[in-house]
């Protein structure tokens, strides 16, 4: 308690010991306090749910929109980890849409450059695509960490391969000029 009688302070966000991943707990035989979801008998896994139509709409500039491809890659990655049922479909859609928009911004920067003309004065200004790209990248990281945290805490299968986030620049570079 502070001198003025108010209760301030306390534990800081992110302070303390980090949680161990489920895989680590399984490997170290420390499952006594861990709740593992039971496997229901008689149920089979389904394929990927259909992609919503608003994610497939044609773009104004006629360029390829990568939402479907990114969504499928993310779904398959989650399926490998057996976490596809734990991650909300809307979160996967948001991630795929944001990555696609980031790719569009990067393509626009490659096409138009880092500078733009001010609409009234005609002077050179920073391209608005640069700041939009930066904002989309922040959203991508936020969404990715949310998805990865769910997988990290719940995956019972270890996986050392590539992750969908690693392929962002590759998708951008694959675009034919």
């Amino acid at each position: 308690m502070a001198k003025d009688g108010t209760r301030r302070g306390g534990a800081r966000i992110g302070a303390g010991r980090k949680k161990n991943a489920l895989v680590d707990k399984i490997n170290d035989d420390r499952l006594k306090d861990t709740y593992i979801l039971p496997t229901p008998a008689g149920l089979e896994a389904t394929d990927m749910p259909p992609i919503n139509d608003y994610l497939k709409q044609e773009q104004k500039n006629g360029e390829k929109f990568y939402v479907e491809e990114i969504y499928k890659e993310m779904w398959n990655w989650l399926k490998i980890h057996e976490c596809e049922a734990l991650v909300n479909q809307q979160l996967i859609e948001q991630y795929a849409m944001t990555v696609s928009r980031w790719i569009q911004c990067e393509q626009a920067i490659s096409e138009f450059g880092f500078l733009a003309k001010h609409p009234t004065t005609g002077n050179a200004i920073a391209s608005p695509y640069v700041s939009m790209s930066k904002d989309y990248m922040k959203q991508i990281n936020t969404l990715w960490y949310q998805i990865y945290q769910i997988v990290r805490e719940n995956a019972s299968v270890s996986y050392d391969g590539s992750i969908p986030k690693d392929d962002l620049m590759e998708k951008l570079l694959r675009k034919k000029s």
Side-chain angles (χ1 to χ4, degrees), residues 51-68 97 100-101 104:
I51 298 172
N52 289 326
D53 291 336
Y54 76 91
L55 296 173
K56 300 180 193 177
Q57 289 182 349
E58 187 176 329
Q59 299 303 297
K60 187 174 182 180
N61 62 359
E63 294 285 329
K64 182 176 182 195
F65 202 44
Y66 293 95
V67 175
E68 256 185 284
M97 180 66 84
S100 299
R101 294 291 184 212
Q104 279 185 326

Side-chain angles (χ1 to χ4, degrees), residues 30-94:
R30 294 181 288 134
L31 292 175
K32 65 176 185 169
D33 297 327
T34 305
Y35 180 73
I36 299 177
L37 296 173
T39 307
L43 292 178
E44 292 183 21
T46 61
D47 287 336
M48 181 179 69
I51 298 172
N52 289 326
D53 291 336
Y54 76 91
L55 296 173
K56 300 180 193 177
Q57 289 182 349
E58 187 176 329
Q59 299 303 297
K60 187 174 182 180
N61 62 359
E63 294 285 329
K64 182 176 182 195
F65 202 44
Y66 293 95
V67 175
E68 256 185 284
E69 183 180 326
I70 295 165
Y71 184 90
K72 287 176 184 176
E73 283 180 20
M74 178 59 75
W75 180 264
N76 291 333
W77 185 78
L78 289 170
K79 195 167 188 148
I80 289 170
H81 286 290
E82 300 173 359
C83 292
E84 70 274 9
L86 300 174
V87 179
N88 190 347
Q89 183 180 355
Q90 290 176 338
L91 188 60
I92 302 170
E93 288 175 355
Q94 286 176 347

Side-chain angles (χ1 to χ4, degrees), residues 134-159:
K134 186 174 78 173
D135 292 340
Y136 279 123
M137 186 51 86
K138 283 171 92 173
Q139 288 178 13
I140 289 169
N141 286 331
T142 302
L143 294 168
W144 169 251
Y145 289 130
Q146 287 177 13
I147 294 170
Y148 186 73
Q149 189 67 25
I150 294 169
V151 172
R152 185 180 171 276
E153 290 177 1
N154 297 299
S156 59
V157 179
S158 65
Y159 179 73

